[in-house]
Amino acid sequence: MPVDLLISPRSRPVGGGQVRRLLPYARRRMVGPFIYADLIGPDRLAAGRGVDVDAHPHIGLATITYLFEGALVHRDSIGEVQRIDAGAVNWMTAGHGVVHTERTPDDHRAGEATLWGLQSWVALPRDAEGVDPSFQHASADAVPESTIGGATVRVIVGEGFGLTAPVEVASPLVLAEVIAGPDGAEVVVPPDRPELAVLAVDADLGVDGEDVPAHHLAVLTPGAEATVSIPAGKRAMLLGGDPVGERLIWWNFVSSDREAIEVARKRWAEQRFPRVPGDHDPWIPLPDEGS
């Protein structure tokens, strides 16, 4: 069978809205280095309303923010301030510790707006878990794309389909957007990474004839070539890569070392992480024990 596991989305509150969480999953914690994936929206935001994800910390991972529609403003404790528009890529390496916020920009709060996209985390290799935090941004026109099987394929990070994204990554991986043309698309996914999954973003898909409902994540059988069938004008995401080993995850912290997570918890409780200039208050407290 081409689909090894089908993951159903679970609704979770984030930033004043709801997301569909796909990773981590009880039966599948990671796909390659991808340890977390939230499908955002599409949410229609009324005039005067926006998304506000207050200051919160990370360790041991890199975050990827990619929007299909809408915009966010990223601010972090490195001092970066970056607007994220649809089709652009934000990659933030947390390393030994970073704090950031994401908010709807003022021009999108002035009237009705839509927010729709994917946010994911990539676990860093063990030798990179403690690096200094860093930030990369690639504009939409810098993301490489090609026409394959009746679809526009954009490689957002990593390498795939003969394309290489401009963002520097810490381990071999791929995150790609596949948008079907007016006649639909049949896109062959080569088994060039040990672990891969296909996300049905906004419509039911087929993987070698097997149904994948909208908003579900289909983890592909390792080593098998798969053909993804996408209805006209709809999109899928491909994600995966080389495994980096087992990881612990608690709240916003990812690490191969339990003690590192305990230290991070204490640091945040005592507000000893670096602050986000001009946007640190309010900050999100640690969740209750057992969350």
Side-chain angles (χ1 to χ4, degrees):
M1 298 289 287
V3 176
D4 185 56
L5 177 66
L6 189 63
I7 297 176
S8 302
R10 291 142 290 143
S11 182
R12 295 289 186 272
V14 174
Q18 295 287 318
V19 301
R20 295 181 176 94
R21 182 149 301 161
L22 296 154
L23 291 174
Y25 183 64
R27 293 172 55 197
R28 186 72 187 231
R29 304 289 287 173
M30 303 170 70
V31 178
F34 286 84
I35 195 167
Y36 176 98
D38 277 354
L39 188 56
I40 306 166
D43 291 328
R44 192 67 180 165
L45 306 175
R49 179 174 167 259
V51 168
D52 287 291
V53 182
D54 294 331
H56 61 282
H58 293 289
I59 66 165
L61 56 86
T63 65
I64 306 166
T65 303
Y66 184 77
L67 300 178
F68 311 127
E69 189 172 348
L72 289 168
V73 174
H74 162 100
R75 294 180 175 86
D76 64 38
S77 54
I78 310 167
E80 297 284 349
V81 179
Q82 178 64 58
R83 181 186 174 109
I84 314 165
D85 287 303
V89 185
N90 262 22
W91 172 283
M92 181 183 70
T93 299
H96 59 69
V98 74
V99 181
H100 75 134
T101 65
E102 287 181 305
R103 305 191 187 279
T104 299
D106 290 343
D107 59 315
H108 279 237
R109 292 181 194 261
E112 288 189 352
T114 298
L115 185 67
W116 185 28
L118 177 71
Q119 193 155 61
S120 56
W121 300 349
V122 169
L124 298 173
R126 282 184 171 84
D127 61 1
E129 287 182 308
V131 299
D132 289 339
S134 60
F135 177 83
Q136 299 176 73
H137 177 81
S139 61
D141 58 8
V143 175
E145 63 180 52
S146 181
T147 301
I148 301 171
T152 299
V153 177
R154 309 184 81 236
V155 174
I156 298 158
V157 292
E159 297 182 4
F161 300 100
L163 304 172
T164 301
V167 171
E168 183 178 343
V169 297
S171 64
L173 59 85
V174 63
L175 178 64
E177 179 184 30
V178 184
I179 308 171
D183 299 319
E186 298 276 338
V187 178
V188 175
V189 177
D192 52 5
R193 292 293 176 214
E195 298 181 1
L196 292 168
V198 174
L199 170 60
V201 173
D202 56 352
D204 297 354
L205 307 178
V207 177
D208 284 0
E210 188 169 345
D211 292 337
V212 178
H215 313 138
H216 285 58
L217 185 70
V219 181
L220 303 181
T221 301
E225 184 177 271
T227 299
V228 180
S229 303
I230 310 170
K234 302 301 182 180
R235 43 166 61 78
M237 300 289 284
L238 175 72
L239 62 88
D242 293 8
V244 293
E246 293 185 7
R247 289 293 184 273
L248 302 168
I249 180 170
W250 187 86
W251 193 40
N252 300 319
F253 306 140
V254 169
S255 181
S256 58
D257 178 13
R258 188 175 300 279
E259 179 62 24
I261 290 179
E262 293 303 316
V263 168
R265 288 171 59 163
K266 187 174 182 180
R267 283 175 65 200
W268 185 246
E270 297 173 354
Q271 282 297 285
R272 291 189 290 107
F273 270 80
R275 299 173 68 86
V276 180
D279 194 21
H280 194 79
D281 296 309
W283 46 271
I284 301 174
L286 290 171
D288 293 335
E289 195 67 36
S291 296

